[in-house]
Amino acid sequence: MYIMEQRTEIAELGEFGLIEHLTKNFETHNASTVMGVGDDAAVLDHFGKQTVVTTDLLIEGIHFDLMYTPLKHLGYKAVMVNLSDVYAMNATPTQITMSIAISNRFSLEALDEFYEGVFIACEKHGVDLVGGDTSSSNKGFIISVTAIGEANADKIVKRSTAAKGDLICVTGDLGGAFLGLTLMEREKKIYLENPQLQPDLENEDYIVGRLLKPEARKDMIEFFEKNDILPSAMMDVSDGISSEVLHLCRQSNLGCVIYEEKIPVSEASRKAAYKFGLDPTVCALNGGEDYELIFTLKQEDHDKITLNEEISVIGYMTDITDGCKLLTKGGNRFDITAQGWNAFQK
Amino acid sequence: MYIMEQRTEIAELGEFGLIEHLTKNFETHNASTVMGVGDDAAVLDHFGKQTVVTTDLLIEGIHFDLMYTPLKHLGYKAVMVNLSDVYAMNATPTQITMSIAISNRFSLEALDEFYEGVFIACEKHGVDLVGGDTSSSNKGFIISVTAIGEANADKIVKRSTAAKGDLICVTGDLGGAFLGLTLMEREKKIYLENPQLQPDLENEDYIVGRLLKPEARKDMIEFFEKNDILPSAMMDVSDGISSEVLHLCRQSNLGCVIYEEKIPVSEASRKAAYKFGLDPTVCALNGGEDYELIFTLKQEDHDKITLNEEISVIGYMTDITDGCKLLTKGGNRFDITAQGWNAFQK
């Protein structure tokens, strides 16, 4: 939480003044963006390429907590989670629309912070902001983002096309965002009980960064392109890999084996997990919001990824009758169940 | 308000079960829909056509009141207001994404009602539901819709391309939705003060229908196509024509003259206005949510529209130095000011 030095009421600008104000620094980068903000709809041209579309609705108190989420990070993350879905199709994001609803507790300066994060995310990924909607809410901050991307038809990777024997791979490391959330929730609780105490983030930059500033894996899509790799199936890791791997199995009509010892967990996450009395593997399997990619790969392509330290092979696809299994370090075999984030069971 | 006979808790299905349940009746119609719901993103193919994208965020208590809005109508309207923006580009809507967030006061049966309205709207306009997101909210119903459409590049009509001397035309009639809202708000107030009293809608079907079941003007886009008409500028009427005509003038760098006597108001709306002690012209100018089209047309095209009773010529574009003027029935000349709905000044 921080203090705003200046406070301009949103009502002073009116809706259209506000949209102009918020979008004035956004320039378009993509040849496919024929027209952006300022008409009934944006106009895109995707001559000969396929378009992918994905959308997310983020609600204060459900998907984020402004008590420990700086608005700039929130803007950045709101874009990033949608770009992650586009990359998960092996496509390149080209445009987003951003709609927000806010109560009058937010000033123009607060909104500017939010849009600064949106701007940085768009710039970093070469994405054009082409539309949106701003309105008021009775309570809380509501964000809706739609991302559009493009790819050649033969490059798009679905969830449903894995084959038996394919390797299961994940990028980066897992569980960090969940551990960052655990830390922030702990500090929030302490602060609410005793506002005099300063937050103790104990050099936990890594897990806090994983929570507040996730990075969609554009680099991986570029690596695939450069090395002539086409995953057989792919999705992004937003709910935790136990949930995601079950999606891949169900949609591809297969089973799988995952090796616990192969699941990538960073040293920082492992330490944090032990400090909080949590099992690092459980955090990696069931913690959400890592925004890594999970994909399957034909075995003959294994050589193409071995030198990339950002990719871990964690298992392989099996027959549907073999079920979805986790092989633990101790040699036990468990059924994988989705413990991922379920918005309706809070 | 009505009573649900059955109540299934949303949590019983889980998020993915819920999405499957809600979208199971939706089939895809458009050749451009390569893949719909069920992956990280939908896949569209717009070979050689331009794509238009528009999005809207609708929030309970701000944009709609569930006390007098049946959920089925709400679903229908949520789609319709977005399709209206696509038609306002002279484009054909092809896909939508629909994201919703709901609190646990809504049952599955309530959501089914909502999606039934979404389904009917999609079927009627040949639009495919290709994605979305469902999550929970702490309070209230939140809806985010993104609509995608396509058009040949030379057929897309912007707001900024009107020319001096062009005729200003509107479709249908205006002010009805605002009068419907006025009636419903009055009835709500009476009900809250005395719940024993039954609502008295006094044969006001027309204005109530204008509010609860707006119809995006697909027929007009088809009429333009059939009669080789290309408006010089166009937008949809969501905030009231005084606001919309100012947008057209500002974005085209022009002024305008509007004739009060030419503004189309239905007999039902006129009667309702008098009953509520309101000026029908003010309702037509400043009332929102009619979802008609306002467009400009070269004078030489006038003959092409004269036989269409759904189109009224209400004025013409002038030089920017002449300002934006309303010529009243009494012969007075007023500056047009935007009194349209401003979400931030409630």
Side-chain angles (χ1 to χ4, degrees):
Chain A
M1 290 198 304
Y2 40 94
I3 291 158
M4 294 292 176
E5 305 207 342
Q6 202 189 340
R7 182 177 171 93
T8 308
E9 297 302 327
I10 306 291
E12 290 172 32
L13 284 89
E15 185 182 355
F16 301 104
L18 178 61
I19 293 171
E20 281 183 2
H21 172 89
L22 295 174
T23 59
K24 65 178 185 293
N25 291 324
F26 289 81
E27 287 169 11
T28 61
H29 307 284
N30 290 291
S32 59
T33 308
V34 179
M35 199 172 72
V37 176
D39 214 299
D40 298 284
V43 179
L44 316 179
D45 182 12
H46 291 278
F47 212 90
K49 286 205 165 189
Q50 287 194 344
T51 306
V52 307
V53 185
T54 178
T55 191
D56 255 311
L57 186 56
L58 304 172
I59 295 164
E60 184 183 349
I62 303 286
H63 301 93
F64 56 89
D65 188 330
L66 287 178
M67 192 150 172
Y68 50 73
T69 311
L71 284 165
K72 190 167 144 186
H73 288 71
L74 182 63
Y76 189 87
K77 185 167 175 173
V79 176
M80 222 40 87
V81 303
N82 278 276
L83 301 189
S84 181
D85 274 326
V86 174
Y87 292 126
M89 304 300 291
N90 201 32
T92 303
T94 46
Q95 288 91 8
I96 61 160
T97 64
M98 166 70 69
S99 296
I100 56 166
I102 44 167
S103 72
N104 57 13
R105 100 178 132 98
F106 294 94
S107 68
L108 184 61
E109 288 74 19
L111 267 197
D112 281 344
E113 289 243 356
F114 176 82
Y115 269 84
E116 199 186 328
V118 172
F119 181 76
I120 295 170
C122 286
E123 286 289 305
K124 198 163 179 177
H125 289 258
V127 166
D128 299 330
L129 177 74
V130 295
D133 190 18
T134 50
S135 72
S136 57
S137 76
N138 289 320
K139 189 164 169 287
F141 200 141
I142 301 163
I143 306 163
S144 174
V145 184
T146 298
I148 292 166
E150 55 184 38
N152 290 318
D154 56 355
K155 288 290 169 72
I156 287 178
V157 178
K158 304 179 192 178
R159 298 176 177 179
S160 57
T161 41
K164 186 180 165 181
D166 286 355
L167 303 171
I168 302 172
C169 311
V170 292
T171 64
D173 59 76
L174 302 170
F178 173 76
L179 286 158
L181 179 67
T182 304
L183 175 65
M184 293 312 237
E185 289 287 344
R186 190 187 72 168
E187 291 303 321
K188 178 183 170 183
K189 194 156 167 279
I190 293 170
Y191 173 84
L192 290 176
E193 283 167 3
N194 191 343
Q196 275 76 41
L197 284 184
Q198 288 299 304
D200 174 16
L201 300 183
E202 303 155 84
N203 301 315
E204 300 287 17
D205 293 357
Y206 184 74
I207 60 173
V208 171
R210 292 292 286 171
L211 174 71
L212 297 182
K213 202 165 175 294
E215 196 56 51
R217 300 296 320 230
K218 177 192 174 91
D219 59 333
M220 281 296 138
I221 304 310
E222 290 169 348
F223 172 78
F224 294 156
E225 172 74 24
K226 199 171 164 190
N227 292 278
D228 202 24
I229 295 166
L230 192 66
S232 54
M234 183 157 59
M235 66 183 294
D236 74 333
V237 182
S238 54
D239 292 342
I241 53 162
S242 65
S243 167
E244 320 305 13
V245 86
L246 289 178
H247 280 296
L248 291 176
C249 287
R250 188 174 59 87
Q251 295 196 28
S252 297
N253 266 314
L254 295 171
C256 72
V257 174
I258 301 285
Y259 297 91
E260 181 189 5
E261 62 181 342
K262 302 287 188 189
I263 297 172
V265 178
S266 73
E267 202 43 42
S269 298
R270 199 173 298 275
K271 276 185 185 164
Y274 289 135
K275 197 163 63 185
F276 300 145
L278 298 170
D279 178 343
T281 299
V282 173
C283 296
L285 279 170
N286 299 334
E289 300 214 283
D290 286 316
Y291 299 106
E292 297 293 341
L293 295 170
I294 182 168
F295 61 94
T296 57
L297 197 67
K298 290 193 194 322
Q299 291 191 17
E300 59 259 38
D301 285 339
H302 184 231
D303 287 350
K304 295 180 181 174
I305 60 162
T306 43
L307 290 178
N308 191 325
E309 293 185 349
E310 289 289 305
I311 299 175
S312 307
V313 179
I314 61 167
Y316 59 93
M317 302 302 281
T318 60
D319 210 88
I320 190 166
T321 52
D322 296 330
C324 300
K325 303 290 179 186
L326 177 73
L327 223 72
T328 68
K329 290 171 189 171
N332 290 313
R333 222 177 157 82
F334 289 111
D335 280 333
I336 297 173
T337 52
Q339 305 283 330
W341 186 81
N342 184 332
F344 297 103
Q345 289 181 341
K346 292 214 144 178
Chain B
M1 292 198 302
Y2 40 93
I3 292 159
M4 294 292 176
E5 305 207 341
Q6 202 189 339
R7 182 176 171 95
T8 308
E9 298 303 327
I10 306 292
E12 290 172 31
L13 283 88
E15 184 181 355
F16 302 103
L18 178 61
I19 293 170
E20 281 183 1
H21 172 88
L22 296 174
T23 59
K24 65 179 186 290
N25 291 325
F26 289 81
E27 286 170 11
T28 62
H29 308 284
N30 290 289
S32 58
T33 308
V34 179
M35 199 173 73
V37 177
D39 213 298
D40 298 283
V43 180
L44 316 179
D45 181 10
H46 291 277
F47 213 90
K49 287 205 166 189
Q50 287 193 344
T51 306
V52 306
V53 184
T54 179
T55 189
D56 255 310
L57 186 58
L58 304 172
I59 295 165
E60 184 182 350
I62 304 283
H63 301 95
F64 57 89
D65 188 330
L66 287 178
M67 192 151 171
Y68 51 72
T69 310
L71 284 165
K72 189 168 145 185
H73 287 72
L74 182 63
Y76 189 87
K77 185 168 175 172
V79 176
M80 221 39 87
V81 303
N82 278 276
L83 301 188
S84 182
D85 275 325
V86 174
Y87 292 127
M89 304 299 291
N90 201 34
T92 304
T94 46
Q95 290 91 8
I96 62 161
T97 64
M98 166 70 69
S99 295
I100 57 166
I102 44 167
S103 70
N104 58 13
R105 98 178 133 99
F106 295 93
S107 67
L108 184 62
E109 288 72 19
L111 267 197
D112 281 343
E113 289 243 357
F114 176 83
Y115 270 85
E116 199 185 329
V118 172
F119 181 76
I120 295 169
C122 286
E123 286 288 306
K124 199 163 180 180
H125 288 257
V127 166
D128 299 330
L129 177 74
V130 295
D133 190 20
T134 50
S135 72
S136 58
S137 76
N138 289 318
K139 189 165 169 284
F141 199 140
I142 300 163
I143 307 164
S144 175
V145 184
T146 297
I148 292 166
E150 57 185 36
N152 289 320
D154 57 354
K155 288 290 169 71
I156 285 178
V157 178
K158 304 178 191 178
R159 297 175 178 181
S160 57
T161 41
K164 186 181 164 180
D166 286 355
L167 303 170
I168 301 171
C169 310
V170 292
T171 64
D173 59 77
L174 302 170
F178 173 76
L179 287 157
L181 179 66
T182 305
L183 175 66
M184 293 311 238
E185 289 287 344
R186 190 186 72 168
E187 290 303 321
K188 178 184 170 181
K189 194 158 167 279
I190 292 169
Y191 173 83
L192 289 176
E193 284 166 2
N194 191 343
Q196 275 76 42
L197 284 183
Q198 286 298 304
D200 175 15
L201 299 184
E202 303 156 82
N203 300 316
E204 300 286 17
D205 294 355
Y206 184 73
I207 60 172
V208 172
R210 292 293 284 172
L211 175 71
L212 296 183
K213 201 165 175 295
E215 195 57 49
R217 299 296 322 229
K218 178 190 172 93
D219 60 333
M220 282 295 139
I221 303 310
E222 291 170 346
F223 172 78
F224 293 156
E225 172 76 22
K226 200 172 164 192
N227 292 277
D228 202 23
I229 294 167
L230 191 66
S232 54
M234 182 155 61
M235 65 184 295
D236 74 334
V237 183
S238 54
D239 291 341
I241 53 162
S242 65
S243 167
E244 319 305 14
V245 86
L246 290 178
H247 279 297
L248 291 177
C249 287
R250 187 174 60 88
Q251 296 197 28
S252 297
N253 267 313
L254 294 171
C256 72
V257 175
I258 301 286
Y259 296 91
E260 181 189 4
E261 64 180 342
K262 303 288 188 188
I263 297 170
V265 179
S266 72
E267 201 46 40
S269 298
R270 200 173 297 277
K271 275 186 185 164
Y274 289 136
K275 197 163 62 185
F276 300 144
L278 298 170
D279 179 343
T281 300
V282 173
C283 297
L285 280 170
N286 300 333
E289 300 215 284
D290 285 317
Y291 298 104
E292 296 292 343
L293 294 171
I294 180 167
F295 61 95
T296 58
L297 198 65
K298 290 192 194 324
Q299 291 192 18
E300 59 258 39
D301 284 340
H302 185 229
D303 287 353
K304 294 180 180 173
I305 61 163
T306 43
L307 290 178
N308 190 325
E309 293 184 350
E310 288 288 307
I311 299 175
S312 305
V313 179
I314 61 167
Y316 59 94
M317 303 303 279
T318 60
D319 209 87
I320 189 167
T321 55
D322 297 332
C324 300
K325 304 291 179 184
L326 177 73
L327 223 72
T328 67
K329 290 172 188 169
N332 291 313
R333 221 177 159 81
F334 289 111
D335 280 333
I336 297 173
T337 51
Q339 306 283 331
W341 185 81
N342 184 330
F344 296 103
Q345 290 179 340
K346 290 216 144 173

